[in-house]
Amino acid sequence: MELAIFDFDGTLFRQDTIPFLLKNWKSQGLPRLIRLRATTKIYAAWLWHKPAWTRYSNQQFRVDAVNWFTGMFRGMDRKEISEFFAAAGREAAAHLEPAVVEALKQEASSGKKVVVLSGGFAWLLTGALEGLPVESFVSTELVFGPGDRLLTAPVRVICGPEKITRLLEVYPREQVDWERSSAYADSLGDRDILEAVGQPVAVNPDPDLRMLAREKGWPVLDRGTKESGEPS
């Protein structure tokens, strides 16, 4: 089995998921105070993780941001949350990167199984990529309890080293032809995934990934400036 693995934020999707979803919360007319509380936490943490001297890592920031956003759904049921993500997914579809979507289609037509591997919420990804030949989504799942109420205990966020761990749970090493598989990503945080395959592609890479791609001779797909992703 050959895989074509695609990152979502910054690769397939031209924005960052959490700021995008915060804007959607506002545009869907959901409670302003809940959004304000979460945004304050997320933006403060975003500022804190930026300095080079901080011990608060980018990975931990992403895990915290996803969990703080998940907490915004406290008290809502599965139907209400699914309706939110359905609307957000329809809007997200308008912000996909055409060059990467085309690469996804070509990989699928070559016979590879397309996997979208992301810390983004599964419901957002399935909505945004509806109609595309995606075999599976390895992403952050929401967990529901009695009465279809969301369980807001820390969710398992698929980012950093957790990506390769979760990918191998779904697609064990012995079942995949890794040398003939490909991966597309935009940041050094996806280095493990890119190095796991024989055909890595750096998509509009951050400076560190661009340097690594140059050292290793990996192809680089530049597709213009990434859309703004700062919390707002």
Side-chain angles (χ1 to χ4, degrees), residues 69-142:
F69 184 83
T70 301
M72 293 170 64
F73 294 114
R74 187 174 286 108
M76 298 172 67
D77 61 25
R78 183 189 297 268
K79 181 175 182 295
E80 293 170 314
I81 299 170
S82 67
E83 288 174 348
F84 168 82
F85 279 109
R90 287 192 294 271
E91 182 175 341
H95 299 278
L96 299 179
E97 171 52 47
V100 184
V101 170
E102 183 59 30
L104 184 155
K105 292 177 180 177
Q106 290 178 0
E107 294 281 23
S109 67
S110 74
K112 293 180 182 176
K113 295 183 182 297
V114 174
V115 180
V116 176
L117 179 64
S118 172
F121 295 98
W123 279 354
L124 175 69
L125 272 56
T126 54
L129 301 174
E130 184 177 4
L132 293 177
V134 177
E135 172 78 16
S136 66
F137 297 91
V138 180
S139 52
T140 300
E141 301 277 357
L142 298 178

XYZ file of all heavy atoms in Angstrom, residues 69-142:
552
model
N -10.342 25.838 22.693
C -11.443 26.014 21.748
C -12.516 24.957 21.987
O -13.713 25.265 21.961
C -10.945 25.953 20.301
C -12.044 26.216 19.316
C -12.410 27.510 19.006
C -12.747 25.172 18.737
C -13.460 27.769 18.129
C -13.793 25.414 17.865
C -14.149 26.714 17.566
N -12.111 23.723 22.208
C -13.081 22.656 22.471
C -13.965 23.002 23.664
O -15.170 22.723 23.666
C -12.346 21.324 22.724
O -11.554 21.001 21.578
C -13.332 20.196 22.976
N -13.378 23.646 24.671
C -14.138 24.032 25.846
C -15.267 25.010 25.555
O -16.203 25.142 26.357
N -15.186 25.686 24.418
C -16.249 26.625 24.052
C -17.572 25.911 23.791
O -18.639 26.520 23.861
C -15.826 27.427 22.812
C -14.657 28.372 23.067
S -13.987 29.099 21.538
C -15.379 30.066 20.966
N -17.504 24.620 23.507
C -18.717 23.857 23.205
C -19.377 23.262 24.455
O -20.359 22.532 24.346
C -18.393 22.713 22.239
C -17.950 23.171 20.879
C -16.664 22.926 20.439
C -18.828 23.839 20.034
C -16.244 23.336 19.177
C -18.429 24.249 18.775
C -17.138 24.004 18.343
N -18.831 23.588 25.618
C -19.379 23.017 26.850
C -20.882 23.300 26.944
O -21.332 24.428 26.752
C -18.662 23.599 28.066
C -19.045 22.950 29.399
C -18.214 23.461 30.545
N -16.846 22.907 30.489
C -15.773 23.613 30.156
N -15.884 24.892 29.819
N -14.578 23.041 30.142
N -21.655 22.250 27.211
C -23.103 22.392 27.326
C -23.847 22.178 26.020
O -25.073 22.114 26.012
N -23.110 22.069 24.897
C -23.750 21.850 23.609
C -23.791 20.353 23.296
O -22.968 19.578 23.791
C -22.996 22.601 22.506
C -22.998 24.120 22.699
S -21.909 25.013 21.532
C -22.734 24.719 19.979
N -24.757 19.947 22.480
C -24.842 18.534 22.125
C -24.251 18.277 20.734
O -23.833 19.203 20.039
C -26.281 18.016 22.215
C -27.236 18.736 21.257
O -26.779 19.277 20.227
O -28.446 18.740 21.542
N -24.221 17.016 20.353
C -23.606 16.616 19.086
C -24.222 17.344 17.894
O -23.508 17.781 16.985
C -23.738 15.099 18.906
C -23.062 14.553 17.654
C -23.423 13.095 17.438
N -22.948 12.257 18.509
C -21.767 11.632 18.503
N -20.946 11.772 17.464
N -21.413 10.855 19.507
N -25.554 17.482 17.876
C -26.228 18.116 16.748
C -25.802 19.575 16.600
O -25.490 20.038 15.503
C -27.741 18.034 16.919
C -28.547 18.660 15.776
C -30.034 18.422 15.972
C -30.852 18.998 14.816
N -30.760 20.477 14.745
N -25.746 20.304 17.709
C -25.360 21.717 17.661
C -23.917 21.876 17.194
O -23.606 22.764 16.381
C -25.540 22.346 19.041
C -26.984 22.448 19.509
C -27.102 22.842 20.960
O -26.367 22.255 21.800
O -27.911 23.734 21.270
N -23.056 21.016 17.688
C -21.635 21.113 17.325
C -21.425 20.708 15.869
O -20.651 21.346 15.144
C -20.786 20.258 18.277
C -20.940 20.774 19.713
C -19.320 20.275 17.866
C -20.330 19.872 20.766
N -22.121 19.666 15.440
C -21.974 19.240 14.048
C -22.470 20.315 13.092
O -21.895 20.508 12.006
C -22.713 17.923 13.806
O -24.107 18.086 13.922
N -23.523 21.033 13.458
C -24.032 22.125 12.617
C -23.007 23.250 12.523
O -22.819 23.853 11.459
C -25.353 22.640 13.173
C -26.516 21.668 12.966
C -27.796 22.117 13.656
O -27.727 23.067 14.485
O -28.857 21.522 13.387
N -22.328 23.532 13.640
C -21.273 24.551 13.612
C -20.175 24.151 12.628
O -19.757 24.947 11.769
C -20.674 24.748 15.010
C -19.413 25.568 15.007
C -19.479 26.952 14.976
C -18.164 24.966 14.996
C -18.318 27.720 14.945
C -17.002 25.718 14.969
C -17.076 27.102 14.944
N -19.692 22.912 12.741
C -18.596 22.481 11.883
C -19.030 22.323 10.427
O -18.225 22.525 9.515
C -17.987 21.186 12.406
C -17.010 21.400 13.521
C -17.320 21.029 14.819
C -15.777 21.985 13.283
C -16.418 21.229 15.857
C -14.864 22.191 14.309
C -15.186 21.808 15.606
N -20.291 21.982 10.189
C -20.769 21.876 8.815
C -20.684 23.227 8.117
O -20.232 23.341 6.974
C -22.196 21.347 8.793
N -21.113 24.276 8.829
C -21.058 25.626 8.251
C -19.612 26.076 8.082
O -19.238 26.666 7.053
C -21.827 26.595 9.145
N -18.776 25.796 9.089
C -17.368 26.182 9.006
C -16.668 25.442 7.871
O -15.842 26.017 7.146
C -16.672 25.903 10.335
N -17.004 24.168 7.687
C -16.391 23.383 6.618
C -16.720 23.922 5.243
O -15.870 23.961 4.353
N -17.970 24.350 5.062
C -18.360 24.923 3.761
C -17.550 26.175 3.466
O -17.120 26.404 2.326
C -19.854 25.228 3.756
C -20.746 23.987 3.681
C -22.189 24.341 3.393
N -22.804 25.082 4.496
C -23.423 24.518 5.525
N -23.512 23.198 5.610
N -23.970 25.258 6.479
N -17.313 26.990 4.480
C -16.516 28.200 4.257
C -15.050 27.856 4.041
O -14.367 28.451 3.201
C -16.652 29.165 5.436
C -15.878 30.449 5.213
C -16.088 31.488 6.305
O -17.085 31.384 7.041
O -15.249 32.397 6.403
N -14.538 26.888 4.808
C -13.128 26.502 4.675
C -12.807 26.005 3.272
O -11.697 26.192 2.771
C -12.790 25.431 5.709
N -13.781 25.381 2.616
C -13.563 24.853 1.266
C -13.151 25.944 0.285
O -12.475 25.671 -0.711
C -14.823 24.147 0.769
N -13.535 27.187 0.581
C -13.186 28.301 -0.303
C -11.757 28.774 -0.086
O -11.259 29.625 -0.841
C -14.155 29.459 -0.071
N -11.086 28.250 0.930
C -9.726 28.689 1.255
C -8.697 27.582 1.060
O -7.603 27.646 1.621
C -9.675 29.195 2.701
C -10.567 30.362 2.965
N -10.207 31.665 2.663
C -11.823 30.421 3.477
C -11.202 32.475 2.996
N -12.189 31.753 3.487
N -9.025 26.591 0.271
C -8.056 25.551 -0.038
C -7.060 26.049 -1.078
O -7.386 26.903 -1.907
C -8.774 24.300 -0.560
C -9.772 23.640 0.399
C -10.404 22.424 -0.275
C -9.120 23.255 1.710
N -5.864 25.507 -1.024
C -4.826 25.891 -1.971
C -4.961 25.068 -3.255
O -4.785 23.838 -3.229
C -3.451 25.678 -1.347
C -2.293 25.836 -2.312
C -2.349 27.145 -3.085
O -2.572 28.203 -2.458
O -2.193 27.088 -4.316
N -5.301 25.707 -4.397
C -5.557 24.953 -5.636
C -4.411 24.049 -6.068
O -4.652 22.916 -6.510
C -5.818 26.064 -6.664
C -6.328 27.215 -5.853
C -5.569 27.143 -4.559
N -3.173 24.514 -5.938
C -2.040 23.702 -6.387
C -1.907 22.426 -5.567
O -1.552 21.365 -6.098
C -0.747 24.517 -6.301
N -2.209 22.511 -4.278
C -2.093 21.333 -3.418
C -3.287 20.405 -3.631
O -3.151 19.182 -3.600
C -1.954 21.746 -1.938
C -1.725 20.525 -1.061
C -0.795 22.725 -1.758
N -4.462 20.980 -3.851
C -5.635 20.165 -4.182
C -5.379 19.380 -5.458
O -5.706 18.179 -5.552
C -6.892 21.042 -4.328
C -8.055 20.235 -4.898
C -7.288 21.638 -2.980
N -4.766 20.017 -6.438
C -4.451 19.336 -7.689
C -3.448 18.207 -7.452
O -3.575 17.112 -8.021
C -3.888 20.327 -8.701
C -3.583 19.729 -10.069
C -4.799 19.106 -10.745
O -5.937 19.577 -10.514
O -4.605 18.127 -11.493
N -2.456 18.462 -6.585
C -1.490 17.415 -6.263
C -2.184 16.238 -5.578
O -1.871 15.074 -5.855
C -0.395 17.980 -5.360
N -3.135 16.535 -4.709
C -3.896 15.484 -4.024
C -4.640 14.616 -5.046
O -4.612 13.383 -4.964
C -4.865 16.125 -3.029
C -5.699 15.211 -2.117
C -6.085 15.960 -0.844
C -6.972 14.704 -2.801
N -5.276 15.259 -6.000
C -6.018 14.517 -7.015
C -5.082 13.644 -7.852
O -5.412 12.499 -8.184
C -6.783 15.484 -7.913
C -7.937 16.215 -7.222
C -8.589 17.198 -8.172
C -9.743 17.938 -7.526
N -10.342 18.944 -8.437
N -3.925 14.183 -8.184
C -2.972 13.416 -8.986
C -2.436 12.218 -8.221
O -2.271 11.128 -8.789
C -1.821 14.328 -9.418
C -2.237 15.376 -10.449
C -1.096 16.307 -10.824
O 0.018 16.177 -10.327
N -1.382 17.263 -11.693
N -2.179 12.407 -6.938
C -1.698 11.290 -6.119
C -2.762 10.194 -6.037
O -2.449 8.996 -6.136
C -1.348 11.785 -4.708
C -0.175 12.752 -4.639
C 1.175 12.064 -4.714
O 1.257 10.934 -5.236
O 2.161 12.665 -4.262
N -4.015 10.590 -5.876
C -5.096 9.606 -5.810
C -5.236 8.863 -7.131
O -5.434 7.639 -7.160
C -6.409 10.293 -5.444
N -5.109 9.588 -8.238
C -5.263 8.955 -9.550
C -4.117 7.995 -9.855
O -4.263 7.091 -10.681
C -5.358 10.022 -10.650
O -4.130 10.709 -10.780
N -2.987 8.168 -9.175
C -1.852 7.262 -9.374
C -2.015 5.972 -8.579
O -1.172 5.070 -8.686
C -0.550 7.961 -8.960
O -0.454 8.056 -7.544
N -3.059 5.914 -7.761
C -3.321 4.695 -7.005
C -2.973 4.770 -5.533
O -3.196 3.809 -4.782
N -2.428 5.879 -5.096
C -2.093 6.015 -3.673
C -3.344 6.302 -2.846
O -4.294 6.907 -3.331
C -1.078 7.155 -3.470
C 0.291 6.877 -4.064
C 1.225 8.048 -3.830
C 2.589 7.807 -4.474
N 3.488 8.974 -4.348
N -3.320 5.866 -1.592
C -4.389 6.177 -0.658
C -4.076 7.532 -0.020
O -3.028 7.691 0.617
C -4.504 5.090 0.411
C -4.932 3.741 -0.139
C -5.095 2.726 0.974
C -5.486 1.352 0.429
N -6.797 1.380 -0.250
N -4.967 8.491 -0.198
C -4.743 9.843 0.316
C -5.180 9.921 1.773
O -6.307 9.583 2.124
C -5.504 10.889 -0.522
C -5.390 12.274 0.120
C -4.962 10.914 -1.947
N -4.260 10.373 2.616
C -4.514 10.526 4.043
C -4.300 11.994 4.422
O -3.255 12.568 4.096
C -3.561 9.650 4.882
C -3.829 9.828 6.376
C -3.683 8.188 4.484
N -5.283 12.597 5.068
C -5.109 13.945 5.598
C -4.783 13.805 7.078
O -5.579 13.272 7.856
C -6.362 14.812 5.385
C -6.180 16.180 6.033
C -6.627 14.980 3.890
N -3.592 14.249 7.438
C -3.056 14.081 8.791
C -2.941 15.459 9.427
O -2.162 16.294 8.973
C -1.684 13.405 8.705
C -0.927 13.156 10.002
C -1.674 12.170 10.897
C 0.471 12.622 9.697
N -3.733 15.714 10.465
C -3.822 17.085 10.958
C -4.281 17.150 12.401
O -5.017 16.279 12.887
C -4.815 17.868 10.080
O -5.083 19.147 10.635
N -3.859 18.219 13.088
C -4.376 18.513 14.414
C -5.755 19.127 14.354
O -6.403 19.332 15.386
N -6.230 19.445 13.152
C -7.560 20.028 12.982
C -8.654 19.046 13.345
O -8.448 17.827 13.378
N -9.829 19.570 13.599
C -10.967 18.737 13.971
C -11.461 17.934 12.763
O -11.615 18.466 11.668
C -12.103 19.606 14.505
C -11.771 20.304 15.790
C -11.345 21.618 15.799
C -11.879 19.637 17.004
C -11.035 22.272 16.991
C -11.572 20.275 18.203
C -11.143 21.592 18.201
N -11.731 16.658 12.991
C -12.159 15.771 11.913
C -13.391 16.313 11.198
O -13.478 16.249 9.961
C -12.436 14.375 12.472
N -14.347 16.854 11.934
C -15.573 17.350 11.314
C -15.301 18.534 10.388
O -15.960 18.681 9.361
C -16.585 17.753 12.382
C -17.342 16.588 12.942
C -17.302 15.282 12.516
C -18.273 16.622 14.028
N -18.140 14.511 13.269
C -18.746 15.292 14.201
C -18.756 17.619 14.866
C -19.680 14.960 15.185
C -19.671 17.281 15.846
C -20.133 15.968 16.003
N -14.343 19.372 10.736
C -13.993 20.490 9.855
C -13.354 19.967 8.578
O -13.689 20.400 7.471
C -13.036 21.452 10.562
C -12.509 22.593 9.687
C -13.625 23.577 9.341
C -11.352 23.318 10.368
N -12.436 19.024 8.707
C -11.715 18.505 7.549
C -12.646 17.803 6.571
O -12.549 17.999 5.352
C -10.616 17.546 8.000
C -9.254 18.162 8.341
C -9.366 19.239 9.413
C -8.280 17.083 8.805
N -13.553 16.994 7.094
C -14.450 16.258 6.197
C -15.359 17.218 5.435
O -15.670 16.983 4.268
C -15.301 15.242 6.973
O -15.982 15.906 8.043
C -14.432 14.141 7.549
N -15.774 18.296 6.085
C -16.608 19.284 5.396
C -15.830 20.066 4.357
O -16.295 20.272 3.233
N -14.624 20.504 4.725
C -13.806 21.327 3.824
C -13.365 20.547 2.590
O -13.230 21.115 1.502
C -12.590 21.860 4.567
N -13.138 19.238 2.748
C -12.577 18.429 1.660
C -13.611 17.499 1.028
O -13.260 16.564 0.313
C -11.399 17.615 2.185
C -10.254 18.453 2.788
C -9.198 17.563 3.401
C -9.624 19.371 1.752
N -14.878 17.790 1.266
C -15.940 16.961 0.697
C -15.821 16.900 -0.831
O -15.617 17.916 -1.494
C -17.310 17.526 1.082
C -18.478 16.673 0.622
C -19.826 17.221 1.083
O -19.852 18.309 1.706
O -20.848 16.573 0.809
N -15.935 15.705 -1.359
C -15.859 15.531 -2.811
C -14.469 15.238 -3.328
O -14.311 14.864 -4.500
N -13.445 15.374 -2.466
C -12.082 15.060 -2.884
C -11.768 13.595 -2.549
O -12.338 13.031 -1.613
C -11.086 15.998 -2.190
C -11.167 17.463 -2.609
C -10.187 18.309 -1.807
C -10.871 17.618 -4.110
N -10.861 12.977 -3.290
C -10.592 11.544 -3.113
C -9.704 11.242 -1.907
O -8.573 10.760 -2.039
C -9.903 11.165 -4.433
C -9.203 12.426 -4.845
C -10.118 13.546 -4.441
N -10.215 11.520 -0.711
C -9.473 11.274 0.526
C -9.888 9.919 1.092
O -11.072 9.663 1.308
C -9.733 12.384 1.561
C -9.002 12.083 2.866
C -9.296 13.746 1.012
N -8.905 9.064 1.335
C -9.163 7.733 1.881
C -9.523 7.799 3.359
O -10.444 7.126 3.826
C -7.924 6.856 1.688
C -7.959 5.509 2.370
C -8.794 4.489 1.622
O -9.108 4.728 0.430
O -9.111 3.445 2.218
N -8.762 8.620 4.129
C -9.025 8.704 5.558
C -8.497 10.006 6.137
O -7.621 10.659 5.557
C -8.394 7.509 6.300
O -6.986 7.566 6.224
N -9.051 10.370 7.295
C -8.624 11.547 8.042
C -8.050 11.077 9.366
O -8.739 10.422 10.153
C -9.803 12.485 8.302
C -10.423 13.045 7.051
C -11.480 12.401 6.429
C -9.946 14.221 6.491
C -12.053 12.910 5.282
C -10.508 14.736 5.336
C -11.562 14.089 4.725
N -6.800 11.384 9.609
C -6.177 11.097 10.898
C -6.057 12.447 11.588
O -5.151 13.231 11.294
C -4.808 10.415 10.715
C -4.167 10.132 12.070
C -4.955 9.127 9.916
N -6.987 12.728 12.474
C -7.124 14.092 12.986
C -7.708 14.077 14.386
O -7.926 13.023 14.981
C -8.011 14.897 12.029
O -9.232 14.217 11.779
N -7.963 15.262 14.916
C -8.451 15.400 16.282
C -9.945 15.116 16.348
O -10.738 15.756 15.656
C -8.147 16.819 16.810
O -6.717 17.023 16.784
C -8.662 17.001 18.219
N -10.307 14.165 17.187
C -11.695 13.725 17.309
C -12.310 14.267 18.600
O -11.671 14.284 19.649
C -11.769 12.194 17.331
C -11.198 11.511 16.098
C -12.186 11.457 14.944
O -13.335 11.902 15.134
O -11.799 10.958 13.867
N -13.557 14.685 18.514
C -14.308 15.063 19.700
C -14.963 13.816 20.287
O -15.353 12.910 19.548
C -15.375 16.101 19.353
C -14.849 17.440 18.811
C -16.007 18.358 18.453
C -13.931 18.115 19.820
